[in-house]
Amino acid sequence: MAKKRATKKRVKKAAPPTRKSSSSSRGRSAAKATTKKVVRKRPSGSVQSRLKSLDREIVKLINQRTELTIEQLKSTDEPQTLMFSTQAEAELWQRLDEANKGPLSSVAIRSVYREILSAARSRIRTLRVAYLGPPFSFTHLAAIERFGKSADLIPVNTIASVFEEVNRGHADYGIVPIENSTDGRIVDTLDMFTRLPLRICGEVQMAVHHNLLSRSPRSEIVEIYSKPQALSQCRDWLARNMPQARLIEVTSTSTAAQLARDKPGAAAVASRQAAVQYELQIIADSIEDNTHNVTRFAVIGDDSTEPTGRDRTALLLQIPHTPGSLSEALTAFKKNKINLTWIESFPLRGPEVGYLFFLDFEGHAGETPIKRTLNDLEKKAVRLEVLGSYPRSEPVA
């Protein structure tokens, strides 16, 4: 009997492995429970079925929209008037904004429609658009924003070349930077308006975010490349955070990105798109000193536009070089209650003494108050040249 009791005690001591086994069983149960939770997060069969059905319907509707746009372009006697109609697009954006209840933003909706319109236009005739290149510069991004990727976007090396391409008929339109909220006027652009008889037919405003791009670690960066305007717009950040690096000016942010890709210890100040294109890492993002850094781009060509109610007019003005002549000329804006939004001055070329003024103000040259203002200015001007009236745009993030 004693031996049997001892055996029972030994059996009781052997119980812990059973408890361990029970614990592992609970672990397996927990793992199964976790697996079940993951499974529940997956879309159900009905959701997947609806997504597939919607995808088919969306593709069908996109193609129908494209076909109707092509039909509309073909039905007019002058398809060119609709190929680049700022008024028609302004009306479309307004309709889309009113219809859009989210969650997509207006910017996202417009980007979809822009490519539909661009593809439809290319079926009639491919628009040729010259821009300050190379590809993936901010001007290139503005050209895509305005004309879509189906347009023939032609990079050229200088702002003057953009004007020349349009003036010679080698391009239908050009797109150039005209003003930055941090650095102000783009001198080369304003200067070319004094040289060639081209009009401003539209504008694109883009929020410009600069990024420090490189393939080298931040501690090893000794040179930073970019165009002068980009370096200027980031001067404070670079002075505080990269004091050891030498700043080197190049012709464009895309050229800077190429150099950063190819040179060890080099970095570029450029766009996120440039980082993707040139396979660079974003060392620091949004390094611009002004968080509301916006560049306005002018679309140049020969077109005139109809009033939309939200327009801007630009003109060149030369007045007598006498005391008080500018003040007297500007009273025309106050008299007619016109909001003057921008004024820049340039010394006249050659032996003549005086200045040429670039003015920008709200309203359309076809509207009565603007007509009165222009008549008043003409009486006091040596030279008055309307560069164009066009719809104002909102900054694109």
Side-chain angles (χ1 to χ4, degrees):
M1 292 295 290
K3 286 183 179 180
K4 286 183 181 178
R5 281 196 296 271
T7 303
K8 285 181 182 178
K9 286 180 182 178
R10 282 197 295 271
V11 171
K12 286 180 181 177
K13 287 180 180 179
T18 306
R19 287 195 296 270
K20 187 175 181 182
S21 174
S22 173
S23 173
S24 107
S25 173
R26 284 196 301 272
R28 284 195 299 271
S29 299
K32 287 179 181 178
T34 304
T35 304
K36 288 179 182 178
K37 287 180 182 177
V38 173
V39 171
R40 289 193 197 104
K41 290 181 181 179
R42 294 176 183 171
S44 66
S46 61
V47 171
Q48 289 178 334
S49 176
R50 287 171 59 196
L51 285 172
K52 290 178 182 179
S53 177
L54 273 175
D55 287 340
R56 288 193 295 269
E57 188 66 19
I58 288 169
V59 170
K60 178 182 176 182
L61 290 173
I62 286 175
N63 280 302
Q64 286 181 4
R65 180 52 162 96
T66 305
E67 288 170 356
L68 282 173
T69 304
I70 294 170
E71 185 179 331
Q72 181 187 35
L73 292 171
K74 286 181 176 179
S75 65
T76 181
D77 294 333
E78 297 181 5
Q80 180 68 14
T81 60
L82 284 177
M83 293 285 278
F84 179 79
S85 173
T86 52
Q87 183 176 6
E89 285 202 8
E91 293 171 357
L92 173 60
W93 300 150
Q94 184 176 352
R95 290 201 309 272
L96 293 176
D97 288 346
E98 291 172 355
N100 182 27
K101 305 303 180 185
L104 284 179
S105 66
S106 294
V107 172
I109 294 291
R110 290 186 188 190
S111 65
V112 172
Y113 271 78
R114 185 173 297 106
E115 293 307 322
I116 293 173
L117 296 175
S118 182
R121 290 166 182 155
S122 68
R123 295 289 297 273
I124 304 296
R125 186 171 71 83
T126 302
L127 287 176
R128 292 175 59 82
V129 181
Y131 70 91
L132 179 62
F136 298 97
S137 63
F138 284 105
T139 313
H140 181 216
L141 300 179
I144 293 173
E145 174 66 28
R146 183 61 190 85
F147 295 97
K149 295 179 181 178
S150 294
D152 185 9
L153 304 178
I154 309 160
V156 296
N157 294 328
T158 64
I159 286 173
S161 297
V162 176
F163 278 79
E164 292 290 352
E165 287 293 299
V166 179
N167 190 53
R168 293 171 182 168
H170 297 166
D172 299 294
Y173 302 100
I175 187 160
V176 288
I178 192 171
E179 177 190 20
N180 177 263
S181 58
T182 301
D183 288 335
R185 67 183 183 178
I186 310 298
V187 176
D188 291 350
T189 297
L190 300 185
D191 180 61
M192 287 307 299
F193 281 118
T194 70
R195 296 171 180 267
L196 293 176
L198 293 174
R199 302 174 63 85
I200 302 178
C201 347
E203 69 173 16
V204 178
Q205 293 194 73
M206 293 192 68
V208 174
H209 299 295
H210 295 298
N211 306 276
L212 186 66
L213 314 178
S214 184
R215 284 185 170 179
S216 301
R218 182 165 170 172
S219 60
E220 296 178 11
I221 294 172
V222 294
E223 294 178 337
I224 299 176
Y225 295 87
S226 200
K227 66 178 183 179
Q229 293 87 348
L231 292 175
S232 174
Q233 290 161 24
C234 306
R235 65 170 75 89
D236 291 342
W237 189 95
L238 293 170
R240 289 195 313 271
N241 296 279
M242 302 296 294
Q244 80 285 1
R246 186 162 63 103
L247 307 184
I248 303 173
E249 297 180 357
V250 291
T251 55
S252 73
T253 54
S254 293
T255 300
Q258 293 175 26
L259 289 166
R261 177 191 61 190
D262 299 334
K263 292 184 66 175
V269 174
S271 67
R272 283 182 172 272
Q273 291 85 344
V276 174
Q277 177 68 16
Y278 298 105
E279 299 179 344
L280 296 167
Q281 292 183 350
I282 298 177
I283 305 300
D285 62 354
S286 298
I287 65 172
E288 63 277 0
D289 298 326
N290 178 4
T291 55
H292 302 289
N293 187 33
V294 175
T295 296
R296 185 158 65 100
F297 298 86
V299 179
I300 58 173
D302 295 320
D303 295 353
S304 57
T305 64
E306 296 297 321
T308 65
R310 293 189 69 261
D311 300 296
R312 195 194 304 269
T313 296
L315 60 81
L316 289 174
L317 174 68
Q318 182 187 347
I319 51 178
H321 190 53
T322 57
S325 60
L326 177 60
S327 177
E328 290 176 7
L330 295 182
T331 58
F333 293 94
K334 182 177 180 180
K335 173 185 172 183
N336 295 290
K337 298 181 180 179
I338 303 302
N339 188 21
L340 180 63
T341 54
W342 193 28
I343 180 168
E344 294 284 351
S345 63
F346 296 88
L348 295 171
R349 290 192 189 87
E352 190 176 2
V353 178
Y355 291 87
L356 188 64
F357 296 91
F358 181 96
L359 284 77
D360 217 38
F361 50 91
E362 293 179 358
H364 192 282
E367 297 169 340
T368 301
I370 304 300
K371 287 180 180 178
R372 287 199 301 262
T373 304
L374 294 175
N375 287 335
D376 291 344
L377 285 173
E378 198 167 18
K379 295 172 185 176
K380 301 171 183 178
V382 175
R383 173 186 176 187
L384 178 66
E385 188 176 329
V386 177
L387 296 177
S389 294
Y390 50 93
R392 284 178 284 150
S393 67
E394 296 298 325
V396 177

